[in-house]
Amino acid sequence: MNFRQKIAQFMYGRNGYDAYSQFLLLAAIVLVVLSMLFTWLPPLAVLFQLGEYAVLIYCIWRVLSRNVYKRQQENARYYEKRQAFFRWCRGVRDRWQQRKEYRFFRCPSCHALLRVPRGKGRLQLTCRKCGNRFERKT
Ligand SMILES: [Zn+2]
């Protein structure tokens, strides 16, 4: 049996390297860089180093885990959070691009985002989501 086959046999029935593990590895690398940047402040550098070990151990443990079902659920949750983060980034970008034509307000009761054309004076706004009415200068 060659080395590849041995590895394949060892990894059989284990979770393996998934997207969440990839993210954890990246986080560990960021912590390595941070701990190197903060060598002038030993307590913080040590903290980053401990975090780096913890994240790395957790990552390796996930890759080798035999509870594949649970690890897949974690991976799915990670994907959801990543999607939400990208959506949020797109929202920030869109608001920035439209900032000259529109103003954006949060509904005080349900926190939904409202988009209103600029320069219309004081307006009575109605939230589309919950119907709450409030006044804002546009
Ligand atoms: Zn609302």
Side-chain angles (χ1 to χ4, degrees):
M1 201 160 49
N2 66 32
F3 185 67
R4 268 184 90 92
Q5 285 170 317
K6 273 183 188 164
I7 294 273
Q9 195 186 38
F10 177 72
M11 288 308 292
Y12 182 77
R14 295 176 193 267
N15 186 54
Y17 187 61
D18 57 12
Y20 186 36
S21 302
Q22 200 178 359
F23 169 77
L24 290 170
L25 200 63
L26 205 75
I29 291 168
V30 168
L31 286 166
V32 169
V33 172
L34 283 173
S35 71
M36 289 194 309
L37 287 176
F38 283 90
T39 43
W40 56 276
L41 196 64
L44 203 61
V46 166
L47 211 68
F48 285 133
Q49 235 160 34
L50 288 176
E52 156 200 332
Y53 294 143
V55 170
L56 215 54
I57 288 166
Y58 179 56
C59 179
I60 292 166
W61 174 80
R62 282 195 81 254
V63 169
L64 300 180
S65 170
R66 286 183 192 277
N67 193 345
V68 175
Y69 177 68
K70 235 181 163 170
R71 299 292 87 77
Q72 279 175 345
Q73 280 185 321
E74 287 166 4
N75 201 39
R77 270 203 301 276
Y78 162 71
Y79 270 121
E80 278 167 28
K81 280 181 187 153
R82 197 170 76 168
Q83 283 301 318
F85 176 70
F86 287 151
R87 257 199 310 278
W88 177 81
C89 289
R90 270 199 303 278
V92 169
R93 187 200 62 194
D94 291 349
R95 267 171 278 163
W96 179 256
Q97 284 172 346
Q98 300 174 1
R99 71 193 183 282
K100 286 188 176 126
E101 296 96 59
Y102 296 98
R103 287 207 66 178
F104 295 87
F105 299 107
R106 287 253 173 228
C107 166
S109 76
C110 75
H111 304 290
L113 198 66
L114 281 81
R115 193 180 74 167
V116 186
R118 273 184 183 276
K120 304 273 179 199
R122 266 195 104 71
L123 282 182
Q124 178 85 15
L125 307 175
T126 308
C127 174
R128 282 194 192 168
K129 202 170 158 198
C130 70
N132 178 42
R133 299 179 138 254
F134 57 99
E135 209 173 88
R136 287 286 185 279
K137 193 182 175 297
T138 58

Short mmCIF file of all heavy atoms in Angstrom, two decimals, residues 107 109-112 127 129-132, ligand 1:
data_model
loop_
_atom_site.label_atom_id
_atom_site.label_comp_id
_atom_site.label_asym_id
_atom_site.label_seq_id
_atom_site.Cartn_x
_atom_site.Cartn_y
_atom_site.Cartn_z
N CYS A 107 -36.16 51.90 9.97
CA CYS A 107 -37.44 52.01 10.66
C CYS A 107 -37.18 51.89 12.16
O CYS A 107 -36.51 50.95 12.59
CB CYS A 107 -38.36 50.89 10.19
SG CYS A 107 -39.81 50.69 11.23
N SER A 109 -39.07 50.98 14.53
CA SER A 109 -39.69 49.86 15.24
C SER A 109 -39.20 48.49 14.76
O SER A 109 -39.01 47.60 15.57
CB SER A 109 -41.22 49.95 15.19
OG SER A 109 -41.69 49.57 13.93
N CYS A 110 -38.98 48.30 13.43
CA CYS A 110 -38.55 46.97 12.99
C CYS A 110 -37.15 46.96 12.38
O CYS A 110 -36.65 45.90 11.99
CB CYS A 110 -39.55 46.37 12.00
SG CYS A 110 -39.47 47.10 10.36
N HIS A 111 -36.51 48.12 12.29
CA HIS A 111 -35.13 48.26 11.79
C HIS A 111 -34.97 47.90 10.32
O HIS A 111 -33.86 47.66 9.86
CB HIS A 111 -34.14 47.45 12.65
CG HIS A 111 -34.20 47.84 14.10
ND1 HIS A 111 -33.74 49.05 14.54
CD2 HIS A 111 -34.69 47.18 15.16
CE1 HIS A 111 -33.93 49.12 15.84
NE2 HIS A 111 -34.52 48.01 16.24
N ALA A 112 -36.08 47.85 9.58
CA ALA A 112 -35.97 47.63 8.13
C ALA A 112 -35.36 48.88 7.49
O ALA A 112 -35.51 49.98 8.00
CB ALA A 112 -37.35 47.36 7.55
N CYS A 127 -43.10 52.64 6.82
CA CYS A 127 -42.30 51.44 6.67
C CYS A 127 -43.11 50.40 5.90
O CYS A 127 -44.26 50.13 6.22
CB CYS A 127 -41.91 50.88 8.04
SG CYS A 127 -41.08 49.29 7.94
N LYS A 129 -42.48 47.31 5.69
CA LYS A 129 -42.48 46.00 6.33
C LYS A 129 -43.52 45.92 7.45
O LYS A 129 -44.27 44.96 7.53
CB LYS A 129 -41.08 45.72 6.88
CG LYS A 129 -40.78 44.26 7.07
CD LYS A 129 -39.30 44.10 7.38
CE LYS A 129 -39.06 42.80 8.10
NZ LYS A 129 -37.76 42.82 8.78
N CYS A 130 -43.52 46.99 8.31
CA CYS A 130 -44.41 46.89 9.47
C CYS A 130 -45.47 47.99 9.49
O CYS A 130 -46.33 47.99 10.36
CB CYS A 130 -43.59 46.93 10.77
SG CYS A 130 -42.85 48.53 11.10
N GLY A 131 -45.43 48.94 8.52
CA GLY A 131 -46.44 49.97 8.45
C GLY A 131 -46.26 51.12 9.43
O GLY A 131 -47.07 52.04 9.48
N ASN A 132 -45.18 51.10 10.20
CA ASN A 132 -44.89 52.17 11.15
C ASN A 132 -44.65 53.48 10.39
O ASN A 132 -44.02 53.50 9.35
CB ASN A 132 -43.64 51.77 11.95
CG ASN A 132 -43.24 52.84 12.94
OD1 ASN A 132 -44.09 53.43 13.59
ND2 ASN A 132 -41.95 53.10 13.03
ZN ZN B 1 -40.80 48.90 10.18
#
